[in-house]
mmCIF file of all heavy atoms in Angstrom:
data_model
loop_
_atom_site.group_PDB
_atom_site.id
_atom_site.type_symbol
_atom_site.label_atom_id
_atom_site.label_comp_id
_atom_site.label_asym_id
_atom_site.label_seq_id
_atom_site.Cartn_x
_atom_site.Cartn_y
_atom_site.Cartn_z
ATOM 1 N N MET A 907 0.848 -1.196 0.000
ATOM 2 C CA MET A 907 0.000 0.000 0.000
ATOM 3 C C MET A 907 0.882 1.245 0.000
ATOM 4 O O MET A 907 1.839 1.335 0.763
ATOM 5 C CB MET A 907 -0.859 -0.014 1.271
ATOM 6 C CG MET A 907 -2.131 0.796 1.126
ATOM 7 S SD MET A 907 -3.259 0.510 2.482
ATOM 8 C CE MET A 907 -2.749 1.688 3.679
ATOM 9 N N GLU A 913 2.895 9.791 6.392
ATOM 10 C CA GLU A 913 3.566 8.548 6.807
ATOM 11 C C GLU A 913 5.043 8.583 6.432
ATOM 12 O O GLU A 913 5.894 8.127 7.189
ATOM 13 C CB GLU A 913 2.877 7.340 6.154
ATOM 14 C CG GLU A 913 1.551 6.964 6.816
ATOM 15 C CD GLU A 913 0.727 5.975 6.007
ATOM 16 O OE1 GLU A 913 1.076 5.746 4.820
ATOM 17 O OE2 GLU A 913 -0.261 5.469 6.529
ATOM 18 N N LYS A 917 7.945 8.450 9.102
ATOM 19 C CA LYS A 917 8.886 7.333 9.021
ATOM 20 C C LYS A 917 10.322 7.856 9.124
ATOM 21 O O LYS A 917 11.136 7.300 9.859
ATOM 22 C CB LYS A 917 8.694 6.609 7.693
ATOM 23 C CG LYS A 917 9.537 5.350 7.524
ATOM 24 C CD LYS A 917 9.281 4.688 6.189
ATOM 25 C CE LYS A 917 9.896 5.492 5.059
ATOM 26 N NZ LYS A 917 9.677 4.877 3.721
ATOM 27 N N TYR A 919 11.196 10.726 10.440
ATOM 28 C CA TYR A 919 11.340 11.321 11.772
ATOM 29 C C TYR A 919 11.706 10.244 12.794
ATOM 30 O O TYR A 919 12.635 10.396 13.579
ATOM 31 C CB TYR A 919 10.034 12.010 12.169
ATOM 32 C CG TYR A 919 10.090 12.764 13.468
ATOM 33 C CD1 TYR A 919 10.502 14.098 13.513
ATOM 34 C CD2 TYR A 919 9.733 12.155 14.663
ATOM 35 C CE1 TYR A 919 10.554 14.803 14.707
ATOM 36 C CE2 TYR A 919 9.783 12.850 15.859
ATOM 37 C CZ TYR A 919 10.181 14.169 15.878
ATOM 38 O OH TYR A 919 10.234 14.852 17.071
ATOM 39 N N LEU A 920 10.981 9.129 12.731
ATOM 40 C CA LEU A 920 11.228 8.059 13.689
ATOM 41 C C LEU A 920 12.540 7.325 13.399
ATOM 42 O O LEU A 920 13.247 6.920 14.309
ATOM 43 C CB LEU A 920 10.067 7.046 13.675
ATOM 44 C CG LEU A 920 8.733 7.570 14.177
ATOM 45 C CD1 LEU A 920 7.621 6.561 13.920
ATOM 46 C CD2 LEU A 920 8.787 7.927 15.649
ATOM 47 N N ALA A 927 19.411 11.593 18.691
ATOM 48 C CA ALA A 927 19.431 11.849 20.134
ATOM 49 C C ALA A 927 20.703 11.281 20.762
ATOM 50 O O ALA A 927 21.339 11.940 21.596
ATOM 51 C CB ALA A 927 18.198 11.233 20.796
ATOM 52 N N LEU A 939 22.646 20.129 28.227
ATOM 53 C CA LEU A 939 21.674 19.621 27.251
ATOM 54 C C LEU A 939 20.861 18.481 27.850
ATOM 55 O O LEU A 939 21.409 17.534 28.393
ATOM 56 C CB LEU A 939 22.425 19.127 26.007
ATOM 57 C CG LEU A 939 21.556 18.572 24.879
ATOM 58 C CD1 LEU A 939 20.876 19.700 24.145
ATOM 59 C CD2 LEU A 939 22.382 17.742 23.918
ATOM 60 N N ILE A 947 15.246 20.492 19.378
ATOM 61 C CA ILE A 947 16.185 20.778 18.288
ATOM 62 C C ILE A 947 15.844 19.913 17.076
ATOM 63 O O ILE A 947 15.823 20.377 15.931
ATOM 64 C CB ILE A 947 17.646 20.529 18.732
ATOM 65 C CG1 ILE A 947 18.065 21.572 19.764
ATOM 66 C CG2 ILE A 947 18.599 20.560 17.535
ATOM 67 C CD1 ILE A 947 19.390 21.273 20.444
ATOM 68 N N PHE A 952 13.533 19.699 11.426
ATOM 69 C CA PHE A 952 12.538 19.298 10.424
ATOM 70 C C PHE A 952 11.743 20.508 9.925
ATOM 71 O O PHE A 952 11.443 20.615 8.721
ATOM 72 C CB PHE A 952 11.586 18.241 11.003
ATOM 73 C CG PHE A 952 12.090 16.839 10.826
ATOM 74 C CD1 PHE A 952 13.107 16.357 11.622
ATOM 75 C CD2 PHE A 952 11.560 16.011 9.854
ATOM 76 C CE1 PHE A 952 13.599 15.073 11.443
ATOM 77 C CE2 PHE A 952 12.037 14.715 9.675
ATOM 78 C CZ PHE A 952 13.062 14.246 10.470
ATOM 79 N N ILE A 953 11.421 21.385 10.826
ATOM 80 C CA ILE A 953 10.683 22.585 10.428
ATOM 81 C C ILE A 953 11.551 23.440 9.503
ATOM 82 O O ILE A 953 11.067 23.990 8.503
ATOM 83 C CB ILE A 953 10.243 23.368 11.681
ATOM 84 C CG1 ILE A 953 9.142 22.597 12.381
ATOM 85 C CG2 ILE A 953 9.766 24.767 11.321
ATOM 86 C CD1 ILE A 953 8.801 23.090 13.766
ATOM 87 N N LYS A 965 18.153 21.549 -2.021
ATOM 88 C CA LYS A 965 17.631 20.735 -3.138
ATOM 89 C C LYS A 965 16.904 19.505 -2.607
ATOM 90 O O LYS A 965 17.188 19.002 -1.514
ATOM 91 C CB LYS A 965 18.798 20.262 -4.021
ATOM 92 C CG LYS A 965 19.603 21.375 -4.648
ATOM 93 C CD LYS A 965 20.823 20.797 -5.349
ATOM 94 C CE LYS A 965 21.912 21.850 -5.396
ATOM 95 N NZ LYS A 965 23.205 21.306 -5.761
ATOM 96 N N GLY A 978 21.380 19.706 13.046
ATOM 97 C CA GLY A 978 21.071 19.544 14.462
ATOM 98 C C GLY A 978 22.288 19.781 15.332
ATOM 99 O O GLY A 978 22.221 20.485 16.344
ATOM 100 N N GLN A 988 31.405 23.968 24.224
ATOM 101 C CA GLN A 988 32.554 24.797 24.544
ATOM 102 C C GLN A 988 33.458 24.776 23.332
ATOM 103 O O GLN A 988 33.816 23.727 22.845
ATOM 104 C CB GLN A 988 33.319 24.207 25.726
ATOM 105 C CG GLN A 988 32.526 24.211 27.002
ATOM 106 C CD GLN A 988 33.243 23.466 28.082
ATOM 107 O OE1 GLN A 988 34.427 23.146 27.951
ATOM 108 N NE2 GLN A 988 32.557 23.170 29.146
ATOM 109 N N GLN A 1010 28.065 8.934 -11.026
ATOM 110 C CA GLN A 1010 28.375 9.028 -12.448
ATOM 111 C C GLN A 1010 29.445 8.012 -12.829
ATOM 112 O O GLN A 1010 29.345 7.342 -13.871
ATOM 113 C CB GLN A 1010 28.856 10.452 -12.775
ATOM 114 C CG GLN A 1010 28.926 10.759 -14.264
ATOM 115 C CD GLN A 1010 27.584 10.631 -14.944
ATOM 116 O OE1 GLN A 1010 26.589 11.197 -14.507
ATOM 117 N NE2 GLN A 1010 27.539 9.851 -16.015
ATOM 118 N N ILE A 1012 30.161 5.183 -11.357
ATOM 119 C CA ILE A 1012 29.588 3.838 -11.320
ATOM 120 C C ILE A 1012 28.748 3.598 -12.564
ATOM 121 O O ILE A 1012 28.802 2.532 -13.196
ATOM 122 C CB ILE A 1012 28.751 3.645 -10.034
ATOM 123 C CG1 ILE A 1012 29.689 3.549 -8.826
ATOM 124 C CG2 ILE A 1012 27.868 2.410 -10.109
ATOM 125 C CD1 ILE A 1012 29.003 3.636 -7.478
ATOM 126 N N GLU A 1023 28.130 -11.965 -25.856
ATOM 127 C CA GLU A 1023 26.728 -12.116 -26.265
ATOM 128 C C GLU A 1023 25.884 -12.843 -25.234
ATOM 129 O O GLU A 1023 24.710 -12.532 -25.053
ATOM 130 C CB GLU A 1023 26.655 -12.865 -27.594
ATOM 131 C CG GLU A 1023 26.816 -11.940 -28.772
ATOM 132 C CD GLU A 1023 26.672 -12.670 -30.080
ATOM 133 O OE1 GLU A 1023 26.056 -13.762 -30.079
ATOM 134 O OE2 GLU A 1023 27.165 -12.148 -31.076
ATOM 135 N N ASP A 1027 22.439 -8.432 -19.679
ATOM 136 C CA ASP A 1027 22.542 -7.005 -19.373
ATOM 137 C C ASP A 1027 21.611 -6.703 -18.200
ATOM 138 O O ASP A 1027 20.472 -6.269 -18.361
ATOM 139 C CB ASP A 1027 22.138 -6.197 -20.608
ATOM 140 C CG ASP A 1027 22.240 -4.700 -20.356
ATOM 141 O OD1 ASP A 1027 22.947 -4.307 -19.390
ATOM 142 O OD2 ASP A 1027 21.605 -3.920 -21.082
ATOM 143 N N GLN A 1035 16.193 -5.334 -11.373
ATOM 144 C CA GLN A 1035 16.146 -4.126 -10.536
ATOM 145 C C GLN A 1035 15.162 -4.284 -9.384
ATOM 146 O O GLN A 1035 15.420 -3.856 -8.260
ATOM 147 C CB GLN A 1035 15.777 -2.915 -11.391
ATOM 148 C CG GLN A 1035 16.898 -2.499 -12.337
ATOM 149 C CD GLN A 1035 16.472 -1.427 -13.316
ATOM 150 O OE1 GLN A 1035 15.570 -0.658 -13.029
ATOM 151 N NE2 GLN A 1035 17.119 -1.375 -14.465
ATOM 152 N N LEU A 1038 16.701 -6.555 -6.822
ATOM 153 C CA LEU A 1038 17.719 -5.805 -6.076
ATOM 154 C C LEU A 1038 17.070 -4.899 -5.042
ATOM 155 O O LEU A 1038 17.477 -4.863 -3.887
ATOM 156 C CB LEU A 1038 18.563 -4.974 -7.044
ATOM 157 C CG LEU A 1038 19.536 -3.989 -6.403
ATOM 158 C CD1 LEU A 1038 20.582 -4.698 -5.553
ATOM 159 C CD2 LEU A 1038 20.214 -3.134 -7.460
ATOM 160 N N CYS A 1049 23.856 -2.674 8.887
ATOM 161 C CA CYS A 1049 24.381 -2.867 7.531
ATOM 162 C C CYS A 1049 23.819 -1.829 6.559
ATOM 163 O O CYS A 1049 24.564 -1.240 5.766
ATOM 164 C CB CYS A 1049 24.046 -4.270 7.022
ATOM 165 S SG CYS A 1049 25.109 -5.551 7.724
ATOM 166 N N MET A 1061 31.158 8.529 2.781
ATOM 167 C CA MET A 1061 31.832 8.891 4.032
ATOM 168 C C MET A 1061 32.955 7.897 4.321
ATOM 169 O O MET A 1061 32.908 6.745 3.895
ATOM 170 C CB MET A 1061 30.833 8.885 5.193
ATOM 171 C CG MET A 1061 29.806 9.995 5.079
ATOM 172 S SD MET A 1061 28.461 9.837 6.263
ATOM 173 C CE MET A 1061 29.156 10.583 7.689
ATOM 174 N N ILE A 1066 31.746 7.416 9.519
ATOM 175 C CA ILE A 1066 30.604 6.521 9.730
ATOM 176 C C ILE A 1066 30.556 6.055 11.181
ATOM 177 O O ILE A 1066 29.486 5.984 11.788
ATOM 178 C CB ILE A 1066 30.683 5.295 8.788
ATOM 179 C CG1 ILE A 1066 30.510 5.746 7.327
ATOM 180 C CG2 ILE A 1066 29.625 4.254 9.150
ATOM 181 C CD1 ILE A 1066 30.810 4.662 6.321
ATOM 182 N N ILE A 1070 27.025 6.276 13.693
ATOM 183 C CA ILE A 1070 26.202 5.125 14.090
ATOM 184 C C ILE A 1070 26.387 4.871 15.582
ATOM 185 O O ILE A 1070 27.510 4.674 16.053
ATOM 186 C CB ILE A 1070 26.589 3.885 13.259
ATOM 187 C CG1 ILE A 1070 26.275 4.175 11.786
ATOM 188 C CG2 ILE A 1070 25.862 2.652 13.739
ATOM 189 C CD1 ILE A 1070 26.594 3.053 10.855
ATOM 190 N N TYR A 1073 28.744 2.388 17.345
ATOM 191 C CA TYR A 1073 30.183 2.652 17.305
ATOM 192 C C TYR A 1073 30.553 3.982 17.939
ATOM 193 O O TYR A 1073 31.679 4.172 18.371
ATOM 194 C CB TYR A 1073 30.690 2.634 15.860
ATOM 195 C CG TYR A 1073 30.456 1.323 15.158
ATOM 196 C CD1 TYR A 1073 29.420 1.179 14.240
ATOM 197 C CD2 TYR A 1073 31.245 0.210 15.427
ATOM 198 C CE1 TYR A 1073 29.176 -0.024 13.614
ATOM 199 C CE2 TYR A 1073 31.014 -0.997 14.800
ATOM 200 C CZ TYR A 1073 29.971 -1.112 13.886
ATOM 201 O OH TYR A 1073 29.736 -2.305 13.282
ATOM 202 N N SER A 1079 38.148 4.084 20.802
ATOM 203 C CA SER A 1079 38.730 5.177 20.012
ATOM 204 C C SER A 1079 38.107 5.195 18.608
ATOM 205 O O SER A 1079 37.556 4.185 18.135
ATOM 206 C CB SER A 1079 40.235 4.995 19.891
ATOM 207 O OG SER A 1079 40.507 3.863 19.088
ATOM 208 N N VAL A 1087 34.021 -0.685 11.687
ATOM 209 C CA VAL A 1087 33.065 -0.333 10.625
ATOM 210 C C VAL A 1087 33.510 -0.967 9.305
ATOM 211 O O VAL A 1087 32.694 -1.535 8.569
ATOM 212 C CB VAL A 1087 32.959 1.206 10.473
ATOM 213 C CG1 VAL A 1087 32.290 1.591 9.154
ATOM 214 C CG2 VAL A 1087 32.173 1.800 11.637
ATOM 215 N N CYS A 1094 28.727 -7.039 5.574
ATOM 216 C CA CYS A 1094 27.412 -6.594 5.080
ATOM 217 C C CYS A 1094 27.340 -6.700 3.568
ATOM 218 O O CYS A 1094 26.346 -7.177 3.010
ATOM 219 C CB CYS A 1094 27.157 -5.140 5.499
ATOM 220 S SG CYS A 1094 26.959 -4.906 7.283
ATOM 221 N N MET A 1095 28.397 -6.230 2.909
ATOM 222 C CA MET A 1095 28.390 -6.233 1.440
ATOM 223 C C MET A 1095 28.421 -7.655 0.905
ATOM 224 O O MET A 1095 27.749 -7.982 -0.073
ATOM 225 C CB MET A 1095 29.590 -5.441 0.902
ATOM 226 C CG MET A 1095 29.342 -3.949 0.844
ATOM 227 S SD MET A 1095 27.931 -3.488 -0.189
ATOM 228 C CE MET A 1095 28.596 -3.698 -1.851
ATOM 229 N N ILE A 1111 18.102 -15.123 -14.085
ATOM 230 C CA ILE A 1111 18.729 -13.996 -14.782
ATOM 231 C C ILE A 1111 20.233 -14.236 -14.945
ATOM 232 O O ILE A 1111 20.841 -13.791 -15.918
ATOM 233 C CB ILE A 1111 18.452 -12.684 -14.027
ATOM 234 C CG1 ILE A 1111 16.929 -12.415 -14.045
ATOM 235 C CG2 ILE A 1111 19.199 -11.507 -14.626
ATOM 236 C CD1 ILE A 1111 16.466 -11.281 -13.181
#
Side-chain angles (χ1 to χ4, degrees):
Chain A
M907 204 169 88
E913 283 168 348
K917 185 180 73 180
Y919 185 88
L920 293 171
L939 180 75
I947 291 170
F952 272 76
I953 289 168
K965 299 173 206 167
Q988 295 173 13
Q1010 192 60 51
I1012 288 168
E1023 275 183 22
D1027 181 19
Q1035 289 172 27
L1038 172 62
C1049 283
M1061 292 170 84
I1066 293 170
I1070 297 180
Y1073 301 103
S1079 68
V1087 164
C1094 293
M1095 277 301 284
I1111 296 171

